[in-house]
């Protein structure tokens, strides 16, 4: 068994015994374990169980055995469990916030967003899932003669492969509709953040979810990914485009359906008619929330030349005033990067930009005085198009800013990327901003907000185009992806013998009938 963490290395609300309890919730039979690092200190605070491929096999088998019993409970009973989970998440929020901060190094405010997101997601699906998955009458081949209905059945066992940047939201957010649809779930969290996932298991079981209906395998993603995809009935993945391609290839090989939310190089466009103070404040939120480690954060900032000078001055000054900190309390604006490798990535991008002639307006340096992986919020100008920071996802507190001459130029620049996850447009003319948004190649666009209103619109689908992914989360689309659709057609009479075919007279009658149907609205 993994050794218990030293109490002195933990936030005051957490105890070594809690980690011992959480370790027991992982599906892991080997004696191996893996150190988990606290980004605030750069030191290991605990050792989590290391699951092996055989543990994945066991977890999926147990989840499969539990699935029919869970599905048979019906929507009302399943909803009751998830609503109790909703209340437990809110009641235990301080403990969850501590675990998330301990594992990710994010600020408490950024962690709190995840708690609120889960509450909103549960409330949305709990009140709508029965209607969203109710059997539907569809237009039949011959109105009055035949009928067609579509039924939605759970797909079976859903595998969720979650990243480290939002370990609560992205571990359970997709599992919520999957569970409510009658599926069971096997979660593979990022190796950096196993304890947030295990804390979720504890709350779900306390809420009444059968023990085998939601399981967690912890450890190395490269080791566990293929065995999981080979055994589950659906894969939900959030992460990098490079890994997403591997997931999609493996899922295709297994003929397993999947949804993939992948990387982004998201643009922000500021029109000349904006209130500059408001636009600066919201652009900062778009670019630097969660230290920029957010797939829908803005990394490319385009400002109309008529507003550029004023916006640049205020934006750079405001970014320079952002605070960094390691407190397990509300107040700090920017937290830590997750790891040394992430810090190295950010430093490479900024160094490459400098070498290619970009100007660092503010930031541009690591902040070891705050913590080992902290990096100062950074604004780059004069960024060449071929610089790494201009065309690849940095996933850190770095934004490139440049002027544009017109709306058309902004749209062209926004679309000059292989990615298409999210975008933002700021303008006093909302109708014009919406028209611009329609021209941007992105799965979602926020008007007069960085990303919060898009993400929080739980009834609207969220996902990417181009290299930013496949499928959608949220909305009816976010739960129907976890179902198999069955169509049942019935008829009172068969108008044609499919073997004999129509007679000459029947063929003429049918042709006339089809032409008439085109002019009868309720038959179309």
């Amino acid at each position: 068994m993994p050794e218990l963490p030293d109490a002195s290395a933990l936030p005051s609300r957490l105890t070594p015994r809690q980690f011992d309890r959480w370790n027991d919730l992982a599906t892991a039979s080997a004696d191996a374990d893996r150190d988990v690092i606290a980004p605030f200190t750069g030191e290991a605070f605990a050792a989590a169980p290391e699951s092996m491929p055989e543990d994945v096999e066991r977890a999926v088998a147990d989840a499969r055995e539990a699935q029919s019993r869970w599905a048979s409970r019906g929507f009302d009973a399943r909803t009751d469990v998830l609503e109790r989970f909703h209340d437990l998440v809110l009641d235990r929020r301080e403990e969850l916030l501590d675990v998330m901060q301990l594992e990710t190094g994010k600020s408490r405010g950024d962690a709190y967003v995840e708690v609120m997101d889960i509450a909103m997601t549960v409330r949305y699906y709990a009140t709508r899932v029965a209607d969203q998955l109710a059997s539907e009458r569809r237009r039949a081949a011959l109105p009055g003669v035949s009928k067609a209905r579509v039924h939605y059945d759970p797909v079976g066992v859903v595998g969720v492969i979650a990243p480290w940047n939002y370990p609560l939201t992205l571990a359970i957010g997709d599992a919520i509709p999957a569970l409510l649809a009658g599926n069971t779930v096997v979660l593979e969290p990022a190796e950096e953040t196993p304890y947030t996932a295990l804390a979720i298991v504890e709350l779900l079981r306390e809420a009444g979810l059968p023990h085998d209906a939601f399981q967690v395998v912890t450890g190395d993603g490269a080791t566990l990914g293929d065995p999981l995809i080979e055994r589950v009935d659906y894969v939900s993945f959030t992460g990098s485009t490079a890994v997403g391609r591997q997931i999609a290839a493996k899922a295709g090989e297994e003929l397993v359906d999947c949804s993939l939310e992948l990387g982004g190089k998201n643009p922000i466009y500021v029109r000349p008619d904006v209130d500059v103070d408001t636009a600066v404040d919201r652009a900062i939120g778009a670019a630097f929330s969660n230290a920029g480690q957010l797939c829908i954060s803005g990394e490319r900032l385009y400002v109309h030349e008529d507003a550029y000078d004023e916006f640049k001055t205020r934006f750079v000054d405001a970014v320079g005033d952002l605070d960094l900190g390691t407190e397990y309390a509300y107040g700090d604006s920017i937290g830590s990067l997750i790891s040394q490798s992430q810090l190295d990535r950010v430093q490479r991008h900024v160094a490459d930009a400098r070498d290619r002639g970009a100007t660092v307006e503010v930031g541009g340096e690591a902040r070891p005085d705050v913590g080992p992986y902290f990096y100062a919020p950074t604004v780059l100008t004069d960024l060449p198009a071929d610089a790494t920071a201009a065309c690849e996802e940095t996933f850190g507190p770095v934004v490139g800013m440049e002027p544009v001459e017109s709306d058309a130029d902004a749209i062209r620049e926004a679309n000059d990327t292989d990615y298409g996850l999210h975008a933002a447009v700021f303008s006093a003319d909302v109708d014009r901003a919406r028209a611009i948004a329609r021209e941007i190649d992105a799965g979602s666009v926020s008007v007069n907000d960085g990303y919060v209103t898009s993400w929080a619109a739980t009834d609207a689908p969220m996902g990417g185009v181009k290299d930013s992914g496949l499928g959608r989360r949220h909305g009816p689309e976010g739960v129907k992806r976890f179902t198999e659709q069955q169509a049942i057609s019935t008829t009172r009479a068969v108008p044609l013998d499919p073997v004999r075919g129509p007679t000459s007279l029947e063929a003429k009658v049918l042709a006339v009938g089809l032409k008439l149907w085109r002019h009868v609205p309720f038959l179309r």
Side-chain angles (χ1 to χ4, degrees):
M1 289 294 295
E3 293 184 7
L4 297 183
D6 182 349
S8 64
L10 303 176
S12 60
R13 297 179 188 85
L14 302 180
T15 67
R17 189 56 56 188
Q18 285 172 295
F19 288 84
D20 188 37
R21 191 175 69 240
W22 288 331
N23 283 340
D24 288 341
L25 299 176
T27 304
S29 56
D31 292 332
D33 53 49
R34 175 183 290 265
D35 285 344
V36 184
I37 307 298
F40 283 163
T41 65
E43 298 176 353
F45 68 86
E50 182 87 350
S51 300
M52 298 297 170
E54 55 267 29
D55 297 312
V56 175
E57 182 177 3
R58 177 163 61 95
V60 175
D62 290 347
R64 191 171 301 285
E65 199 277 331
Q67 189 269 321
S68 60
R69 296 196 307 274
W70 170 243
S72 68
R73 291 193 178 191
F75 287 120
D76 289 345
R78 297 197 297 268
T79 295
D80 288 344
V81 171
L82 269 297
E83 287 181 334
R84 287 194 292 271
F85 170 71
H86 165 281
D87 292 346
L88 287 170
V89 167
L90 295 176
D91 291 344
R92 308 277 182 83
R93 63 186 181 278
E94 296 302 323
E95 178 182 292
L96 287 171
L97 296 177
D98 283 350
V99 176
M100 282 188 279
Q101 284 195 273
L102 183 63
E103 290 191 312
T104 66
K106 64 174 60 189
S107 71
R108 201 163 192 82
D110 283 328
Y112 187 75
V113 166
E114 298 199 55
V115 169
M116 298 307 295
D117 175 71
I118 294 307
M120 291 173 62
T121 301
V122 172
R123 286 202 306 273
Y124 170 77
Y125 281 113
T127 57
R128 291 169 175 81
V129 68
D131 290 333
Q132 290 170 338
L133 299 185
S135 298
E136 300 174 343
R137 182 175 178 177
R138 299 290 182 90
R139 188 168 299 282
L142 297 172
V145 177
S146 59
K147 296 181 179 180
R149 296 193 70 84
V150 174
H151 303 275
Y152 296 92
D153 300 315
V155 71
V157 180
V158 172
V160 176
I161 303 176
W164 47 259
N165 60 321
Y166 280 81
L168 180 63
T169 285
L170 298 178
I172 188 64
D174 288 330
I176 288 166
L179 289 168
L180 286 169
N183 301 284
T184 51
V185 173
V186 177
L187 167 65
E188 180 205 320
E191 56 218 54
E192 296 89 347
T193 55
Y195 287 111
T196 302
L198 294 171
I200 290 169
V201 176
E202 185 173 59
L203 295 184
L204 283 169
R205 291 182 179 179
E206 187 174 337
L209 188 72
H211 283 208
D212 290 339
F214 188 98
Q215 299 186 56
V216 177
V217 287
T218 56
D220 178 51
T223 300
L224 304 178
D226 281 1
L228 183 67
I229 298 169
E230 289 167 0
R231 291 171 174 82
V232 297
D233 304 300
Y234 189 97
V235 179
S236 173
F237 171 77
T238 306
S240 71
T241 296
V243 176
R245 291 184 189 280
Q246 298 173 15
I247 299 286
K250 182 64 177 176
E253 181 182 315
E254 300 296 330
L255 290 180
V256 172
D257 200 0
C258 64
S259 52
L260 313 168
E261 186 182 285
L262 308 178
K265 193 69 179 175
N266 308 303
I268 304 168
Y269 173 42
V270 179
R271 297 192 74 238
D273 59 355
V274 296
D275 176 84
V276 173
D277 289 334
T278 300
V280 164
D281 181 64
R282 293 177 183 175
I284 285 176
F288 299 112
S289 293
N290 206 40
Q293 300 169 120
L294 172 62
C295 56
I296 55 177
S297 68
E299 294 195 5
R300 298 180 292 143
L301 178 55
Y302 302 106
V303 184
H304 194 282
E305 59 184 11
D306 292 347
Y308 183 77
D309 289 340
E310 182 183 5
F311 183 91
K312 174 185 171 183
T313 298
R314 296 195 192 183
F315 185 71
V316 169
D317 288 347
V319 172
D321 289 338
L322 292 174
D323 295 324
L324 299 102
T326 61
E327 298 297 322
Y328 289 94
Y330 298 100
D332 295 318
S333 298
I334 305 293
S336 175
L337 295 172
I338 185 73
S339 64
Q340 183 64 49
S341 64
Q342 197 63 25
L343 175 61
D344 291 344
R345 178 184 179 89
V346 173
Q347 290 179 310
R348 285 196 307 272
H349 281 211
V350 175
D352 174 75
R354 278 194 173 107
D355 290 344
R356 295 175 184 270
T359 301
V360 177
E361 299 287 347
V362 65
E365 61 182 0
R367 290 291 306 275
D369 55 308
V370 183
Y373 310 138
F374 276 82
Y375 196 86
T378 299
V379 179
L380 303 174
T381 57
D382 306 315
L383 186 63
D386 60 349
T388 307
C391 54
E392 292 185 15
E393 186 177 36
T394 302
F395 219 62
V398 178
V399 63
M401 179 170 61
E402 63 179 270
V404 291
E405 294 181 357
S406 65
D407 293 347
D409 288 338
I411 293 167
R412 184 176 60 254
E413 294 286 353
N415 291 338
D416 187 19
T417 176
D418 292 333
Y419 296 105
L421 186 57
H422 186 65
V425 180
F426 293 90
S427 176
D429 186 342
V430 173
D431 289 339
R432 179 58 187 154
R434 287 174 178 157
I436 292 169
R438 289 288 293 134
E439 298 296 318
I440 296 176
D441 299 331
S444 60
V445 183
S446 291
V447 172
N448 291 330
D449 173 64
Y451 64 83
V452 173
T453 51
S454 287
W455 181 268
T458 319
D459 194 38
M462 194 90 184
V465 300
K466 299 193 284 191
D467 286 357
S468 288
L470 303 170
R472 296 292 184 269
R473 59 163 50 101
H474 291 173
E477 298 85 351
V479 66
K480 288 183 178 179
R481 60 181 164 149
F482 299 123
T483 65
E484 295 285 7
Q485 300 178 23
Q486 182 190 41
I488 297 178
S489 298
T490 58
T491 185
R492 296 177 181 176
V494 179
L496 291 177
D497 185 330
V499 175
R500 178 179 62 83
T503 65
S504 176
L505 177 61
E506 288 172 338
K508 289 180 180 179
V509 170
L510 284 171
V512 171
L514 289 171
K515 291 179 69 175
L516 290 174
W517 285 344
R518 186 171 68 83
H519 298 286
V520 182
F522 74 90
L523 292 178
R524 291 177 186 171

